[in-house]
Amino acid sequence: MMTSQQHSSQASPKAPPPCVEKQIDIGQREPLAARFYGRRQGAHGVPLVLHFHGGAFVGGSLEGGSCIAGLLAGSGAVVMSLDYPLAPAHPFPHAVEAGYDALVWAWKARQKLAGHDAPMFVAGEEAGGNIAAAVALLARDRHGPTLAGQILLSPMLDPCLGTASLRDVHAGPVGCTWADGWHNYLPRLEDASHPYAAPGSVYRLSGLPPTLLITAEDDPLRDETQAYAERLRAAGLFAHEAVLPGPTGWPCSYLEAGHEQATWPAVVQKQFVDFFASMAAAQNVQSSLLSGP
């Protein structure tokens, strides 16, 4: 866990590259908006990240997701941030299926977007972290596209809302942002146990990509983030967990303006940079072993 001194001593994050918004046809009834950050650098591939914004399943936007998407882009990635369908008009599994279709679209376009053999990642904060985790499960179960990793920040993984970190902020079964979000996202009770709706309760974790999980001491979603990290490690998978010292105001501050005054964005961006570097190093080692002497 990082100390408060480490937290405050970080330099400012790198400014994100310019972004452009486009409509993409992923086979849904209507095209979806996506915001693209960064560009390919020469022939060699850079990380290509499909990003999902927060908003408790019922809100959020490409603009609201620009902080985390921009930090990912500032870490050297090309980022495709998706304006996925929101509940209650589009309850589970609409967002997950749209996310998977967007992943397939990005995978097919990865050479143009990020370069030859660009490694593919999914990422998301809060409800977007849930969708990113669910899309990673779908990619495993549908045998592709192959993911190099998943990045989850304060992911909403457990609809039971029974963790100590949620109780500490007096979040209950009704009348709180996350309870109301879950209720609108999962109107059918039986969906609460579906692995793609509640990735935190998935029993079969084998085959998932390396995972970076980021939470904070004052994050109401801290306990479910840490529990997922523990379960991934218990399954023999790589899961790096970072707990930032407070105050961060997470996850609500993901969507707020004025991040320039906060200290946590630089720390988060450093986590992204290190994760991308470690995944690239691991891939280089694997390629060397496969090529032989």
Side-chain angles (χ1 to χ4, degrees), residues 57 87 91-93 159 181-194 197-198:
F57 300 113
F92 173 80
W182 278 114
H183 177 74
N184 283 287
Y185 185 57
L186 303 177
R188 300 189 308 170
L189 183 61
E190 59 268 26
D191 285 338
S193 60
H194 196 292

Side-chain angles (χ1 to χ4, degrees), residues 132-264:
V135 168
L137 288 165
L138 266 175
R140 179 200 64 184
D141 295 344
R142 294 179 181 176
H143 308 291
T146 301
L147 290 175
Q150 57 178 339
I151 301 171
L152 312 177
L153 302 93
S154 311
M156 291 176 66
L157 300 172
D158 182 3
C160 295
L161 302 171
T163 63
S165 59
L166 277 167
R167 291 197 300 271
D168 287 346
V169 295
H170 307 292
V174 293
C176 86
T177 297
W178 304 289
D180 293 346
W182 278 114
H183 177 74
N184 283 287
Y185 185 57
L186 303 177
R188 300 189 308 170
L189 183 61
E190 59 268 26
D191 285 338
S193 60
H194 196 292
Y196 301 153
S201 62
V202 172
Y203 287 106
R204 189 172 69 88
L205 295 169
S206 61
L208 287 176
T211 304
L212 171 63
L213 301 106
I214 308 180
T215 182
E217 291 176 349
D218 61 333
D219 182 6
L221 304 173
R222 182 193 67 235
D223 288 353
E224 56 200 273
T225 304
Q226 293 185 292
Y228 196 52
E230 292 172 3
R231 295 191 64 235
L232 289 167
R233 287 193 290 265
L237 302 173
F238 177 90
H240 177 71
E241 169 192 348
V243 183
L244 278 60
T248 62
W250 284 11
C252 297
S253 61
Y254 290 134
L255 303 174
E256 296 172 356
H259 297 102
E260 299 81 2
Q261 306 304 317
T263 54
W264 59 260

Side-chain angles (χ1 to χ4, degrees), residues 75-178:
S75 304
V78 170
V79 180
M80 172 180 160
S81 189
L82 185 70
D83 192 16
Y84 57 87
L86 299 175
H90 303 284
F92 173 80
H94 287 269
V96 176
E97 291 291 349
Y100 179 77
D101 290 342
L103 178 67
V104 172
W105 186 95
W107 175 261
K108 292 178 180 178
R110 75 188 190 282
Q111 182 168 345
K112 179 180 178 181
L113 292 171
H116 180 65
D117 290 337
M120 188 86 213
F121 295 79
V122 290
E125 64 272 16
E126 199 231 26
N130 171 293
I131 296 166
V135 168
L137 288 165
L138 266 175
R140 179 200 64 184
D141 295 344
R142 294 179 181 176
H143 308 291
T146 301
L147 290 175
Q150 57 178 339
I151 301 171
L152 312 177
L153 302 93
S154 311
M156 291 176 66
L157 300 172
D158 182 3
C160 295
L161 302 171
T163 63
S165 59
L166 277 167
R167 291 197 300 271
D168 287 346
V169 295
H170 307 292
V174 293
C176 86
T177 297
W178 304 289

Side-chain angles (χ1 to χ4, degrees), residues 11-99:
S12 298
K14 295 180 181 178
C19 62
V20 60
E21 199 162 319
K22 298 180 179 179
Q23 297 286 322
I24 61 169
D25 184 359
I26 59 173
Q28 302 284 312
R29 183 172 299 177
E30 297 180 355
L32 294 180
R35 183 177 287 185
F36 293 83
Y37 299 76
R39 62 182 60 182
R40 55 183 288 181
Q41 303 293 326
H44 297 289
V46 299
L48 175 59
V49 183
L50 174 60
H51 167 257
F52 302 94
H53 63 75
F57 300 113
V58 297
S61 64
L62 294 177
E63 183 59 33
S66 63
C67 174
I68 299 303
L71 292 174
L72 287 162
S75 304
V78 170
V79 180
M80 172 180 160
S81 189
L82 185 70
D83 192 16
Y84 57 87
L86 299 175
H90 303 284
F92 173 80
H94 287 269
V96 176
E97 291 291 349

